Amino acid sequence: MAVGGGVAPVGAVTSQPVAAVAAGVGIGLLGLGMCEPALMAMCMSAVERNVGAASALIGATQYLLGVAATVLIAVPAAAGPGPWAAVLLVVALISALIAAVAARRAATP
């Protein structure tokens, strides 16, 4: 995901075609598609009771974060591809940090 977050800003800053920025976004989404099942499994493994409620909470949180991200990304997206790509990079790095912390916590008994 971080690679995609890096490709998109480089494409935007160096005035590459929109396809370069789109390729970065695509790489980021590919990374998300590979990571998300493992992350959801780690989240669900922490719950022993009320598994259905935990699953519903995770799903609702995903939708709410999607809504918040859409609203927050609108301002940099209107400013141009450079600021938009920079926000994507920052979000990718924060996501990688959160995933690393979650993996470390899941690995410790």
Side-chain angles (χ1 to χ4, degrees):
M1 288 186 304
V3 171
V7 169
V10 168
V13 170
T14 59
S15 298
Q16 297 298 317
V18 173
V21 177
V25 173
I27 292 169
L29 289 175
L30 177 67
L32 178 65
M34 292 187 319
C35 293
E36 189 170 358
L39 293 173
M40 290 302 115
M42 285 190 323
C43 289
M44 292 302 296
S45 69
V47 179
E48 295 177 7
R49 294 179 14 188
N50 298 327
V51 179
S55 177
L57 183 60
I58 290 171
T61 302
Q62 287 178 329
Y63 279 111
L64 288 174
L65 287 176
V67 168
T70 301
V71 170
L72 292 176
I73 199 68
V75 173
W84 177 73
V87 169
L88 287 180
L89 177 62
V90 169
V91 170
L93 293 175
I94 290 171
S95 299
L97 177 66
I98 291 171
V101 169
R104 184 175 298 167
R105 287 187 181 174
T108 58

